[in-house]
Amino acid sequence: RWVGCWGDAGRCDHEAYGVDPPNPADGEVDGNHTVLVEGRPVTSSVSLNSSRWFYYMNDNVTTMNQPDQFRKLIFSLEPCEGVVYMLVRKTRRCWPDPYSCCKPLPSEGSNATLPPPCNQSTHVIQCGWTHFHSVIDGTRDGAPSFFEVPHNALKYYISIFAPAEANLNHGIRRVTFRLTALADIGAFPRP
C-alpha cells in the first residue's frame, strides 16, 4: 500500500521490526544497513526470525551504457551455516518485507501473513516490496541463491532473512552467509 507507507522516520511501516543492526566488520555501515561494494563478498550473520539489510548501487556509466543483453547484475547468496532467504527490491527505497511473503489461501479462512518458508498447499507466495527473491517454499533450504538479472536500476535494497523453525530444527541459533553483488558478470567464475 502506498498511502501511509512513509512514517515520521522516513521509512516504511514494516521496517520497524525484525531487523538486526549492521555489523561494521561487514563493510561500510550507513544507518541501518551495510553498503555492498562491487564484487567484494561479505560474510555475515543474522539472528533467527530477523533480517539483515544491504544496499547496492552501481552508477558506473560504462556498465549502464552496455547493450541490454550484456548489462546484467549477479546476486549470489551462499549459506555457510543454516537457512537464509534473499529478497531484493530495486530503485525506490523500502526494504523487502519477509513477513508479508506467505499469504493464506482464501480457503484457509485466515488473514495472517507469515514469513518464509511458505507451505504452498496453504499459502500463496507474494512478498511485499520485493522484485525478486530466493525459492522460499522450503524445497531448497540450505542451497545457494544465485540471480543473474537485468541491470536496469541504480539502487538495490536487499533483505537477508533467517527463518526460525527451519534453523532451530537443526540446532542452529545464528545463521552465517556470504553475499556478493557483481555487475561485471564476466568476472564471476563459471563451471
Side-chain angles (χ1 to χ4, degrees):
R1 77 187 159 119
W2 181 253
V3 178
C5 174
W6 298 99
D8 294 335
R11 64 179 180 207
C12 292
D13 295 338
H14 67 270
E15 295 178 356
Y17 56 87
V19 180
D20 277 2
N23 182 350
D26 294 345
E28 180 187 341
V29 171
D30 183 10
N32 59 358
H33 61 274
T34 303
V35 177
L36 286 177
V37 176
E38 168 73 17
R40 189 182 132 234
V42 171
T43 301
S44 191
S45 64
V46 62
S47 303
L48 299 185
N49 208 31
S50 293
S51 294
R52 175 142 323 208
W53 290 343
F54 294 88
Y55 171 78
Y56 175 79
M57 180 174 162
N58 186 325
D59 57 359
N60 181 313
V61 175
T62 304
T63 300
M64 297 312 265
N65 282 333
Q66 292 290 320
D68 286 346
Q69 69 265 28
F70 301 118
R71 193 176 62 238
K72 306 270 188 220
L73 180 60
I74 291 174
F75 287 106
S76 174
L77 173 67
E78 304 168 61
C80 301
E81 183 178 24
V83 175
V84 286
Y85 301 119
M86 176 170 44
L87 298 92
V88 180
R89 175 177 173 80
K90 54 187 180 177
T91 307
R92 282 194 322 198
R93 191 210 169 288
C94 202
W95 302 95
D97 181 12
Y99 298 93
S100 70
C101 287
C102 307
K103 300 188 183 334
L105 294 171
S107 61
E108 292 300 307
S110 172
N111 292 340
T113 59
L114 301 171
C118 304
N119 180 345
Q120 289 190 300
S121 64
T122 59
H123 292 87
V124 174
I125 297 174
Q126 190 176 29
C127 301
W129 303 102
T130 303
H131 285 100
F132 48 92
H133 56 75
S134 303
V135 175
I136 59 173
D137 62 6
T139 60
R140 297 208 27 170
D141 284 358
S145 292
F146 181 89
F147 301 118
E148 185 172 317
V149 297
H151 188 3
N152 53 15
L154 292 177
K155 302 173 184 177
Y156 294 84
Y157 301 89
I158 305 150
S159 291
I160 306 299
F161 178 76
E165 188 175 337
N167 286 298
L168 287 173
N169 288 343
H170 298 286
I172 298 168
R173 302 217 178 276
R174 188 156 184 88
V175 178
T176 57
F177 61 90
R178 181 179 160 132
L179 177 64
T180 307
L182 184 63
D184 181 7
I185 62 171
F188 198 86
R190 308 286 176 142

